[in-house]
Amino acid sequence: MLDFSSLLLAAALSGTCLSVTMFVIWFTAPRARFVLTVACGILVLVAHVIVFWRYTREPSPLLCQAALALLSLGFLALSLSAMQYLGMRNYSRAVLPAMLAMAVCAGVTYLGFDGVGFILTYTTVTVLLASIGVMFWIKGGQDRGILLVVSALSGVCGVSFGLCGAVLLVKGQWVLGVAPDNWAERLNSVVAVACMTALGALTLSLHHLQAQIELKAETLTDPLTGLMNRRALNSLYGERVFGPFMSIAMFDLDHFKRTNDVYGHPVGDRVLCRFAAIIKKYDRVGVDAFRLGGEEFALVMSRMPQDKAHDLASKIGVAFGTEVVPTPRGPLRSSVSGGIGFGKEDGSSLEDVLAEADKALYAAKHAGRNRVLVLNQVSKADGPALRSA
């Protein structure tokens, strides 16, 4: 059976391997900052284990303070990595209380109450682990299954540290002079090694899942404008049935080829981005904007009557007509034409509604551009030019 020192060395070895693995992953994917924070946190915990192992052999106040400080810092780093992964930026809510607890712990340990220092540190670590568990429990998304497992492991590990502090508290061991050695400490060593190993593996899974999500987002996003692309349109609405309160407005920037030829492609890109910025302002629940390619855009509108859909598309056209893009050849004002296709009572496919919107767009171009049109039942275009011209 392993003795206490062997358990500590096993924890140090396991933590070192995990840390090295995390650093390698981060070097291959620098944007995964939470992986770097995990690696640093585990490395600090490895340093704690080594210092604590040394303290068990040669007790001294300095080694005691260093071991306790490293333990709190390591789990603080893991807590911050959880906040990074979940997109939480209020780091001070974790850092300030932890640093305050570390300062109090250093003070009481310096005064000779090392048992109190251990109790305070174990309490701090328990709170940090509990906060990790709560954050992952509440913030679950596409990776909720993995996050719930992380939450459970954090809770188990936190309980093991809480037991260590509880044993010292119940026994009233305010002054130790040596490293605590009891059943809770031994249990904690085993649980900590197991949980840290499992958490390391889950961190790999979270990184892999996050990479997949980012890759999918990139394939569904137009890199110039930041809008969703045609692939995203097919992915979101390819299997949808379009009823009478669903519609698609197709937009085409007027004389865009001339803009590129006269002003240059960089100016053309700026014009595209200006229109994208305007259409994004109307992007809300039930309204999704897409760049289909070139100077073509689409707006899918759900749960919206036909007159409201036409008004919304017209507002976008009017707003774009007021935009002025400065160029070396002078200010540039552009316009846009649009056509709207509507779903039917008995349901329409994405292709059907796009085809109707495309016909209406062609009619708007043929009618003089700078307008948003709808084809009526006899296939005639109706609608005046936009007032922004």
Side-chain angles (χ1 to χ4, degrees):
M1 186 175 180
L2 293 175
D3 58 15
F4 191 43
S5 295
S6 299
L7 288 174
L8 292 176
L9 293 177
L13 179 60
S14 174
T16 301
C17 293
L18 279 175
S19 182
V20 171
T21 303
M22 296 296 106
F23 276 118
V24 170
I25 292 174
W26 176 74
F27 277 121
T28 60
R31 288 191 301 176
R33 296 182 180 178
F34 83 98
V35 175
L36 175 62
T37 309
V38 170
C40 292
I42 293 177
L43 197 60
V44 172
L45 291 176
V46 169
H48 154 74
V49 172
I50 294 173
V51 173
F52 188 71
W53 173 77
R54 185 69 179 175
Y55 177 62
T56 61
R57 292 174 172 268
E58 298 179 10
S60 73
L62 184 60
L63 285 176
C64 180
Q65 291 182 3
L68 296 180
L70 289 170
L71 183 62
S72 295
L73 281 175
F75 282 102
L76 174 60
L78 295 183
S79 177
L80 294 178
S81 72
M83 298 176 72
Q84 285 179 320
Y85 180 80
L86 297 172
M88 303 170 67
R89 295 291 180 263
N90 50 345
Y91 301 136
S92 60
R93 295 179 62 179
V95 173
L96 294 180
M99 297 301 291
L100 178 61
M102 289 170 59
V104 174
C105 176
V108 297
T109 304
Y110 177 78
L111 294 175
F113 296 96
D114 55 341
V116 177
F118 274 99
I119 294 173
L120 288 174
T121 300
Y122 289 147
T123 302
T124 301
V125 171
T126 300
V127 172
L128 288 172
L129 285 167
S131 68
I132 294 174
V134 170
M135 286 188 292
F136 280 139
W137 182 272
I138 295 176
K139 294 285 186 175
Q142 296 185 47
D143 44 4
R144 184 167 181 81
I146 298 177
L147 296 186
L148 291 180
V149 176
V150 174
S151 178
L153 288 173
S154 299
V156 170
C157 195
V159 169
S160 70
F161 277 101
L163 289 174
C164 292
V167 168
L168 296 178
L169 184 63
V170 170
K171 292 184 176 181
Q173 294 179 307
W174 317 123
V175 179
L176 295 173
V178 295
D181 185 6
N182 51 58
W183 66 268
E185 293 286 342
R186 295 175 184 275
L187 176 63
N188 172 255
S189 298
V190 175
V191 170
V193 172
C195 288
M196 288 300 102
T197 303
L199 287 172
L202 290 172
T203 300
L204 297 178
S205 299
L206 288 172
H207 167 66
H208 179 66
L209 183 59
Q210 187 180 61
Q212 286 184 319
I213 293 173
E214 291 177 354
L215 179 61
K216 183 178 180 181
E218 290 176 359
T219 61
L220 299 179
T221 303
D222 173 55
L224 176 64
T225 62
L227 295 176
M228 290 183 285
N229 58 21
R230 186 182 289 272
R231 180 178 296 176
L233 175 63
N234 291 326
S235 175
L236 292 174
Y237 293 99
E239 303 299 325
R240 291 283 297 274
V241 175
F242 284 71
F245 291 97
M246 288 188 69
S247 58
I248 298 178
M250 290 185 64
F251 297 96
D252 188 281
L253 304 191
D254 296 330
H255 304 296
F256 187 70
K257 184 179 184 301
R258 183 192 305 169
T259 299
N260 280 332
D261 292 342
V262 174
Y263 295 93
H265 288 279
V267 172
D269 289 346
R270 288 166 58 192
V271 173
L272 291 172
C273 290
R274 285 290 183 93
F275 183 76
I278 289 172
I279 205 171
K280 282 179 184 177
K281 293 180 181 178
Y282 297 90
D283 192 348
R284 56 181 183 268
V285 176
V287 180
D288 292 318
F290 305 85
R291 183 189 177 195
L292 302 182
E295 66 271 27
E296 288 190 340
F297 296 81
L299 191 72
V300 178
M301 295 167 281
S302 304
R303 299 185 296 276
M304 190 176 296
Q306 293 188 7
D307 57 338
K308 296 293 184 181
H310 185 272
D311 288 344
L312 179 59
S314 298
K315 287 179 181 179
I316 292 173
V318 171
F320 180 63
T322 63
E323 288 288 310
V324 178
V325 177
T327 75
R329 300 175 64 90
L332 172 64
R333 186 192 294 268
S334 303
S335 63
V336 64
S337 299
I340 307 179
F342 297 97
K344 302 296 189 294
E345 289 286 348
D346 56 349
S348 302
S349 66
L350 172 64
E351 291 78 9
D352 293 337
V353 180
L354 280 175
E356 182 182 333
D358 189 58
K359 290 179 181 178
L361 173 60
Y362 178 81
K365 290 282 189 181
H366 186 72
R369 296 182 171 84
N370 187 36
R371 65 195 70 222
V372 176
L373 299 185
V374 178
L375 295 182
N376 61 18
Q377 294 179 351
V378 293
S379 300
K380 294 181 180 180
D382 59 355
L386 299 173
R387 297 179 180 178
S388 59

